[in-house]
């Protein structure tokens, strides 16, 4: 899966998931049918990976802004940079 990340402000960005193959497309299709618990297990990994790869290596997913999202393909998320 490829990612397009557009930073809106500190701690907020849009993430667009770009499927590279049939498995990625199927994941996006199936995710729309899953429950909230299953969402946490399947698709959040991709959002977190996009944050770490495109925003900051210590970026952590905080929340999904459902009103500003076209879940699951394009989402608006809040994130936080974790310094340890």
């Amino acid at each position: 899966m490829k990612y397009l990340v557009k930073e809106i402000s500190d701690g907020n960005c849009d993430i667009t998931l770009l499927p590279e193959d049939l498995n990625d497309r199927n994941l996006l299709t199936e995710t729309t049918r899953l429950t909230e618990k299953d969402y946490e297990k399947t698709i959040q990994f991709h959002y977190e990976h996009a944050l770490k790869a495109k925003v900051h290596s210590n970026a952590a997913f905080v929340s999904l802004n459902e009103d500003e999202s076209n879940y699951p393909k394009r989402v608006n998320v809040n994130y936080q940079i974790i310094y340890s």
Side-chain angles (χ1 to χ4, degrees), residues 8-71:
I8 306 298
S9 64
D10 278 347
N12 181 265
C13 68
D14 281 338
I15 300 174
T16 302
L17 301 179
L18 305 169
E20 293 186 277
D21 57 30
L22 186 57
N23 287 335
D24 290 344
R25 286 190 192 101
N26 288 341
L27 174 64
L28 291 176
T29 301
E30 289 299 316
T31 300
T32 61
R33 300 180 193 153
L34 301 176
T35 65
E36 184 67 25
K37 183 178 179 184
D38 290 331
Y39 151 76
E40 292 291 331
K41 293 180 196 173
T42 57
I43 205 76
Q44 186 173 337
F45 165 81
H46 289 289
Y47 302 145
E48 290 175 344
H49 189 264
L51 287 171
K52 290 182 184 309
K54 304 289 185 176
V55 176
H56 192 282
S57 61
N58 291 333
F61 176 86
V62 173
S63 64
L64 172 71
N65 300 315
E66 293 182 29
D67 292 342
E68 300 177 32
S69 298
N70 182 13
Y71 176 79

